[in-house]
Amino acid sequence: MPIARREAEIIWEGPLGGGTGTLTSGSGALEQLAVTWASRTERPDGRTSPEELIAAAHASCFAMALALRLDAHQTPPERLAVSAACTLDEVGRAPRITTVELSVRAHVPGLAAADLEQIVGEAADLCPVSKALHGNVEVNVRSELVPGVETTPIQ
């Protein structure tokens, strides 16, 4: 039995160049997101793209895998900031997702930088999105330890 199954649907109207799509997720979290070829290859103008959705999925999945591995090493994170950039390029006269660049900024008290690198590698091996992309897309991960973020209490 699977752990989870999530669904999304897009309704596309018109030809690729001038058409538009509306993406909706089964959970309702992604409700009526506009998608166009121009938002994918030119300017987003408030619309999303498959590459942006892959970047979002990869960043969130990697953050969870890293939090899990840090916890397994008895060094739970106080804060992880993971960003992802997914690149669409032309390969053989066709569009292809070629790379995902992950950037990890971790605030983990008591953790050495060398240990972070090792645990980031463990997270890369564990992350289901990284595994799904493996062999098809170049994935690069850059990580750094950062000091804690001071917060001001809400008054």
Side-chain angles (χ1 to χ4, degrees):
M1 174 179 249
I3 294 173
R5 177 182 163 105
R6 300 292 180 258
E7 298 176 0
E9 177 183 57
I10 187 161
I11 303 297
W12 186 269
E13 296 175 336
L16 179 61
T20 60
T22 305
L23 176 75
T24 305
S25 66
S27 69
L30 306 175
E31 194 64 32
Q32 302 292 313
L33 294 180
V35 180
T36 65
W37 180 251
S39 68
R40 190 174 191 183
T41 61
E42 296 168 20
R43 291 178 30 171
D45 290 331
R47 297 178 208 101
T48 193
S49 69
E51 292 72 30
E52 183 174 57
L53 296 169
I54 288 171
H58 203 174
S60 57
C61 186
F62 198 89
M64 290 181 210
L66 182 54
L68 178 67
R69 295 309 307 145
L70 285 164
D71 200 36
H73 285 275
Q74 284 76 49
T75 55
E78 282 192 12
R79 181 179 172 144
L80 298 173
V82 180
S83 62
C86 181
T87 300
L88 179 69
D89 208 345
E90 188 172 319
V91 177
R93 299 186 63 200
R96 181 170 182 258
I97 294 170
T98 56
T99 59
V100 174
E101 302 282 338
L102 290 169
S103 176
V104 176
R105 293 175 40 93
H107 175 59
V108 185
L111 187 68
D115 293 331
L116 176 65
E117 291 300 317
Q118 174 200 332
I119 297 170
V120 162
E122 293 173 17
D125 291 339
L126 178 65
C127 173
V129 174
S130 291
K131 285 183 170 190
L133 297 174
H134 183 76
N136 295 308
V137 175
E138 180 181 338
V139 176
N140 300 305
V141 184
R142 181 173 40 94
S143 62
E144 68 176 307
L145 285 173
V146 296
V149 178
E150 297 298 322
T151 59
T152 305
I154 297 174
Q155 309 244 341

